[in-house]
Amino acid sequence: MKSTFKISALVLAFAGLAYGAKAQTSTPASSAKTTTSNGIIWSVGVDAGLPTGNLSNAYNWNLGGSVQADIPVVQNQLFVTVNAGYNNIFGKNNIDGTGLDATNIQLLPVKAGLKYFPVSHLYIQGEAGAAFALNKSDLGFDNSAAFIYAPQVGYQFPIGGKSFIDAGVRFEGSTKFNSTIDDSKVNFVALRLAYAFGTK
């Protein structure tokens, strides 16, 4: 439980530093790109993916949703991201003909990171944080949370005004949810398709 608190505190502290950095950063309007809003960008999205590695032996796919805030640090080029969501990883029935069914994994991920636009609309993003197991006892986990990391690449499709569709593909990996079982890592490749809008 102490480690869960520490991870949560780190994520919140990182978000706080991001707001501080935003307040002290200024970019002349003449040098700014015009790909996105100048204020915070909010997005609400659907996440879907496929388990990788040993997780794919007992699990088929995952589905969830997330809310994300992109906080500008360098206008229209570099953002700090804060993301929270829900993921359900669906277990297979009758695994390898054994008659056993895998219990769904229900996770609440909280992440923070950086989002960089090397060219208009195309971005590279990296996040880290914690995933909290909502059904820990059903799965036999001895950790309530695990460290997660998620490199991502994506593209923003303008749909008018300050709104656009944000489509990103990421790999999301975790440390062990059960300290004695190497196969308790939750790794998957996912697509996030989100509606995003600027606040300015």
Side-chain angles (χ1 to χ4, degrees), residues 70 115 123 155-157 164-168 192-196:
D70 297 352
K115 185 174 191 175
Y123 66 83
Y155 195 87
Q156 293 179 342
F157 298 90
F164 49 89
I165 299 298
D166 189 326
R192 180 175 190 260
L193 193 62
Y195 170 72

Side-chain angles (χ1 to χ4, degrees), residues 9-186:
L10 284 173
V11 171
L12 291 173
F14 191 65
L17 287 173
Y19 276 103
K22 177 190 179 299
Q24 296 180 21
T25 303
S26 61
T27 302
S30 60
S31 66
K33 297 181 181 179
T34 57
T35 56
T36 60
S37 166
N38 295 329
I40 295 175
I41 298 169
W42 293 95
S43 63
V44 179
V46 175
D47 295 78
L50 297 172
T52 62
N54 292 328
L55 188 67
S56 64
N57 296 332
Y59 290 87
N60 286 313
W61 61 294
N62 64 287
L63 182 66
S66 58
V67 176
Q68 181 170 302
D70 297 352
I71 305 159
V73 177
V74 177
Q75 190 174 357
N76 295 309
Q77 188 171 21
L78 179 65
F79 294 77
V80 167
T81 64
V82 180
N83 181 300
Y86 171 80
N87 268 317
N88 188 84
I89 303 172
F90 295 91
K92 293 182 178 179
N93 295 325
N94 190 25
I95 303 169
D96 295 330
T98 61
L100 300 174
D101 299 337
T103 302
N104 292 354
I105 302 173
Q106 299 171 5
L107 299 177
L108 179 67
V110 179
K111 298 172 287 185
L114 294 173
K115 185 174 191 175
Y116 173 70
F117 288 81
V119 295
S120 297
H121 306 300
L122 177 69
Y123 66 83
I124 300 165
Q125 181 173 314
E127 292 182 308
F132 300 88
L134 301 180
N135 58 338
K136 169 188 170 184
S137 58
D138 297 337
L139 296 161
F141 292 164
D142 63 359
N143 293 321
S144 298
F147 172 78
I148 55 174
Y149 56 95
Q152 176 172 307
V153 62
Y155 195 87
Q156 293 179 342
F157 298 90
I159 57 175
K162 298 171 186 174
S163 300
F164 49 89
I165 299 298
D166 189 326
V169 177
R170 75 180 185 278
F171 170 79
E172 188 161 314
S174 81
T175 56
K176 294 183 288 187
F177 278 92
N178 191 314
S179 56
T180 61
I181 302 175
D182 287 334
D183 288 351
S184 63
K185 296 177 181 178
V186 177

